[in-house]
Amino acid sequence: MPTILVLASGVGARFRASGGQVHKLQADLCGRSVLQRTLDAVRASGLPWHLEDAGHPGMGDSIAAAVRATRDAHGWLVLPADLPLIAPASLVAVAGGLVSGAALAVVPWVGDQRAHPVGFAPGVGPELAELHGKDGAKHVLSRLGAMNKIAKMPLDDIGAITDVDTLADLQHACDLLRRRSAVSPV
């Protein structure tokens, strides 16, 4: 199965600019940190994972470092650490789509919005390992799309698009979590 790359290297500038007093990943989200909630979902998926938190200058640099640290992986799921409501089932679904198909990448969608994690097949590893800058893997996806090597996967998971970049985002995530808890225990 592919390895989940949890990207936690960003500086969280937008969160602090919105009034946050701590790094967004350490912010309290209904009793647990944002990062802890993300890692809880990753662990619950049962997939192998790697936390990349070395403070890289851009998402491309973070992806590259994580891929180099997990070179023997059977593909990768790129998951920003600021998605604390991601469902373990969504991680498993993207991994399964990557393993079972001929696509070199799997891009999940929630409604008409692109979601996370984005999955990459092992053959894309060398290209991912050379990424740098703030654009992440956009040019890799662009190239794969031009080759018709991307599978789109619909997900029914608001957590796959609920990231925490500001204090308002944190409150929104907490509201969603409380509603989810009212339906079933967290």
Side-chain angles (χ1 to χ4, degrees), residues 2-176:
T3 296
I4 302 170
L5 305 178
V6 182
L7 305 182
S9 293
V11 296
R14 286 183 284 174
F15 190 78
R16 288 195 191 269
S18 75
Q21 300 300 308
V22 297
H23 189 284
K24 69 180 180 177
L25 297 180
Q26 299 311 315
D28 179 63
L29 176 56
C30 298
R32 302 194 75 157
S33 75
V34 169
L35 179 60
Q36 189 58 54
R37 288 197 178 274
T38 303
L39 292 177
D40 288 347
V42 167
R43 288 182 188 108
S45 77
L47 295 168
W49 58 280
H50 170 81
L51 176 64
E52 188 61 42
D53 61 355
H56 301 286
M59 185 175 282
D61 305 281
S62 294
I63 293 169
V67 167
R68 288 191 303 265
T70 59
R71 281 199 194 277
D72 295 332
H74 299 284
W76 299 272
L77 304 184
V78 177
L79 179 67
D82 65 353
L83 287 151
L85 304 184
I86 187 81
S90 294
L91 300 169
V92 171
V94 173
L98 191 60
V99 169
S100 66
L104 294 176
V106 174
V107 177
W109 290 79
V110 174
D112 62 355
Q113 190 171 345
R114 199 168 117 188
H116 287 285
V118 175
F120 293 97
V124 185
E127 191 173 0
L128 295 175
E130 297 299 320
L131 291 174
H132 62 325
K134 64 180 176 125
D135 289 335
K138 285 181 184 177
H139 79 275
V140 174
L141 288 172
S142 200
R143 183 184 68 75
L144 294 176
M147 295 169 40
N148 210 22
K149 292 293 186 180
I150 295 178
K152 291 185 176 182
M153 174 174 284
L155 293 178
D156 184 20
D157 178 10
I158 191 74
I161 57 172
T162 304
D163 60 346
V164 175
D165 287 324
T166 66
L167 281 175
D169 294 340
L170 182 68
Q171 184 59 54
H172 176 67
C174 192
D175 293 343
L176 289 172

